[in-house]
Amino acid sequence: MYSYKINGGKPLKGDINISGSKNAVLGIIAAAMLIDGPCVLENVPDISDVRIMLNLCESLGAEIEYKDEHTVRIDPTKIKTHEAVSADVSRIRASYYLLGALLARSGKATLRLPGGCDFGQRPIDLHLKAFRAMGARSVGKTTNGIITLKADPLRGAKVFFDIVSVGATINVMLAATKAEGTTIITNAAKEPHIVDVANFLNAMGARIKGAGTDTIRIYGVPVLPGNFTYSIIPDQIEAGTYMIAAAVTDGDVTLHNLIPTHMEPLSAKMREMGYTIIEGDDTIRVFKEEDVEIEGTNFKTSPYPGFPTDLQPQAVVLLCKSTGISKMHENVWENRFQYVPELQRMGANINCIERVALVTGIKHFDPATVTATDLRAGAAMVCAALATEGTSYITGASKIDRGYEHIITKLRGVGADIERVEGIVNMNDYDT
Ligand code: EPZ
């Protein structure tokens, strides 16, 4: 178990390159399991969730070959099983995409129930209802958290989601790609990574229309030839995290290789608070003009193009460093304020009432030893520690490495004093 040690209080200055999107590549690696030839993925982020997902695919029989740190060749033609039941399945959430992918590939899928960050209930009922509508049925009982689905055949269907779900939208897209007939998803999620998974599948030979809108039509095809090279989109959440890190340290940072329109939900709010955000074709520069006072505001998380829940903890750090009282309304997850006691340990003034956090601005945080209660909460702790004079420790830092490529190197490149240390124990750790 390792921690991050941060001597904060230094404005971040310089340039950061944004890596490929975690949540896009995880869906795309699963999608690679249902095509009929090899593919090459470029701009693959070097993060632990990706390594786990690739191991899982290898355990199914797929051949994985790293061409370089960010380029992976995947050949699924020798997949020999429809069972994904190893302990790795429970280590990440995105393993649930193997249900849709294996159903599409062989009409059968056996999966251990997925893991991932813990912020309340994370059911997969929408996925299962949609698979059922497509003709899949459960085989046997769900025992020891292992579920088996079988479809003979898998047929296109009309699928309506009463909650907008990223995972269910991608999973149904995967299954429907090779189903007989047409699937229409209504009230689909519209996140950039939904579009990226659809673009990947179309490049491999699928027929998916409407990704990025709330109605997606998937015309099933019998074969996806593959044999294509595809580059993953930049990570919206990594970019947003560094925008916030630059802002709370009173820095001046230019982020490269991102898609500025994906950042609009955050850029708009940061401008409203008083920050200067300058967009280029694939860059964003963040800084604060001298003498500008940063004012608090209200945020509400919601599915894209709304404000992303995966930037909620980091945005709360931003609100802590503003004036007045602000509100953060978490509208996606039932319990995503678990990190608040950690920020309070650093002096934050936050009161949570159900899904709303009331944040009263403070002049500065106090250094402390805090825990990364989950991936994005950990990123928020990094932002707060960078903004704080003195030495802070963030325990459970491996959670941060699930989704942030080379975070230490990237932050050091803009002047941060951050290092990885072993053996720090936080008496308050409750989820490590
Ligand atoms: C994805 O999770 C992301 N994970 C999450 O990012 C992200 O927070 C979330 O989408 C929302 O944007 C991956 O892409 C691997 P959902 P997912 O299905 O797909 C309810 C991060 O930090 N729901 O869109 O699991 C659910 O309870 C991670 O990178 C059901 O009720 O989220 C939630 O309230 C954490 N039944 C809402 O829908 C279902 O069957 C949205 O969840 C499925 C979801």
Side-chain angles (χ1 to χ4, degrees):
M1 208 178 86
Y2 57 91
S3 305
Y4 288 158
K5 175 183 176 190
I6 297 178
N7 290 313
K10 300 168 181 58
L12 301 184
K13 290 201 166 137
D15 301 87
I16 298 180
N17 278 323
I18 298 305
S19 301
S21 160
K22 166 177 94 74
N23 289 342
V25 76
L26 292 172
I28 287 173
I29 293 170
M33 294 303 99
L34 63 84
I35 60 181
D36 299 288
C39 66
V40 175
L41 301 182
E42 296 176 337
N43 203 29
V44 174
D46 182 18
I47 51 176
S48 58
D49 270 21
V50 165
R51 289 190 289 272
I52 293 170
M53 191 71 179
L54 288 171
N55 280 345
L56 270 176
C57 294
E58 214 161 24
S59 71
L60 298 174
E63 286 177 3
I64 309 292
E65 183 194 349
Y66 266 94
K67 297 281 186 196
D68 61 41
E69 194 185 13
H70 297 118
T71 309
V72 183
R73 181 177 185 276
I74 302 179
D75 184 349
T77 51
K78 296 199 182 104
I79 288 182
K80 52 186 180 307
T81 175
H82 64 277
E83 294 185 0
V85 291
S86 73
D88 275 347
V89 178
S90 322
R91 291 175 65 198
I92 55 171
R93 187 77 190 156
S95 51
Y96 56 22
Y97 292 140
L98 293 174
L99 265 184
L102 291 170
L103 265 182
R105 183 173 191 91
S106 59
K108 282 184 283 187
T110 298
L111 191 87
R112 185 180 289 281
L113 289 177
C117 293
D118 173 17
F119 17 76
Q121 285 199 14
R122 297 189 71 177
I124 58 165
D125 56 309
L126 296 173
H127 307 230
L128 298 178
K129 269 188 229 166
F131 293 146
R132 236 173 269 138
M134 297 175 74
R137 57 192 164 75
S138 303
V139 179
K141 281 193 181 148
T142 303
T143 40
N144 299 328
I146 292 176
I147 183 169
T148 296
L149 297 180
K150 198 168 175 200
D152 192 17
L154 198 62
R155 288 183 303 270
K158 286 191 172 167
V159 173
F160 170 78
F161 289 133
D162 42 15
I163 299 172
V164 176
S165 162
V166 170
T169 301
I170 291 180
N171 229 344
V172 172
M173 251 176 10
L174 297 181
T177 297
K178 275 187 165 177
E180 287 180 9
T182 302
T183 299
I184 302 173
I185 307 177
T186 307
N187 203 21
K190 295 181 278 211
E191 270 66 7
H193 34 291
I194 305 279
V195 180
D196 212 32
V197 175
N199 285 344
F200 167 81
L201 284 166
N202 283 341
M204 300 298 141
R207 287 185 63 216
I208 302 174
K209 295 197 184 322
T213 73
D214 45 25
T215 304
I216 303 179
R217 286 186 163 73
I218 305 119
Y219 304 94
V221 294
V223 176
L224 281 94
N227 269 316
F228 205 85
T229 297
Y230 189 84
S231 186
I232 310 296
I233 53 164
D235 197 304
Q236 176 204 23
I237 306 302
E238 186 201 22
T241 302
Y242 290 129
M243 286 173 72
I244 290 171
V248 294
T249 59
D250 290 333
D252 184 346
V253 172
T254 302
L255 304 170
H256 296 261
N257 305 328
L258 50 68
I259 299 176
T261 47
H262 292 172
M263 305 317 303
E264 198 48 38
L266 175 62
S267 302
K269 294 309 275 186
M270 288 181 71
R271 285 196 183 101
E272 185 186 321
M273 294 176 77
Y275 291 104
T276 302
I277 311 287
I278 300 175
E279 292 174 7
D281 288 345
D282 64 352
T283 59
I284 282 187
R285 179 177 167 207
V286 179
F287 65 100
K288 177 174 94 67
E289 301 278 3
E290 258 178 57
D291 303 329
V292 169
E293 188 170 53
I294 299 300
E295 290 173 19
T297 184
N298 298 331
F299 283 76
K300 184 174 190 173
T301 66
S302 55
Y304 192 81
F307 187 81
T309 173
D310 293 345
L311 283 174
Q312 181 259 99
Q314 304 90 313
V316 164
V317 173
L318 196 61
L319 294 178
C320 287
K321 290 279 289 176
S322 66
T323 57
I325 298 179
S326 305
K327 233 191 264 175
M328 172 60 80
H329 187 150
E330 173 54 55
N331 204 29
V332 176
W333 295 110
E334 66 174 10
N335 189 8
R336 209 175 188 173
F337 288 127
Q338 284 167 327
Y339 64 89
V340 164
E342 303 301 306
L343 274 188
Q344 285 167 335
R345 209 168 293 150
M346 297 184 78
N349 184 347
I350 305 173
N351 284 310
C352 291
I353 305 156
E354 295 178 351
R355 285 182 171 212
V356 176
L358 284 177
V359 183
T360 305
I362 52 173
K363 288 223 158 36
H364 57 80
F365 290 107
D366 303 321
T369 297
V370 291
T371 296
T373 52
D374 63 61
L375 163 62
R376 307 304 175 186
M381 297 305 138
V382 170
C383 293
L386 289 169
T388 308
E389 295 272 356
T391 303
S392 297
Y393 292 90
I394 298 158
T395 64
S398 60
K399 291 197 179 128
I400 301 170
D401 292 344
R402 288 185 44 205
Y404 290 88
E405 175 177 276
H406 305 165
I407 186 169
I408 291 189
T409 313
K410 288 190 185 192
L411 285 172
R412 280 191 187 157
V414 287
D417 182 351
I418 173 170
E419 64 180 308
R420 176 175 156 159
V421 292
E422 306 288 337
I424 304 295
V425 177
N426 182 356
M427 298 310 286
N428 300 302
D429 272 4
Y430 40 84
D431 181 19
T432 53

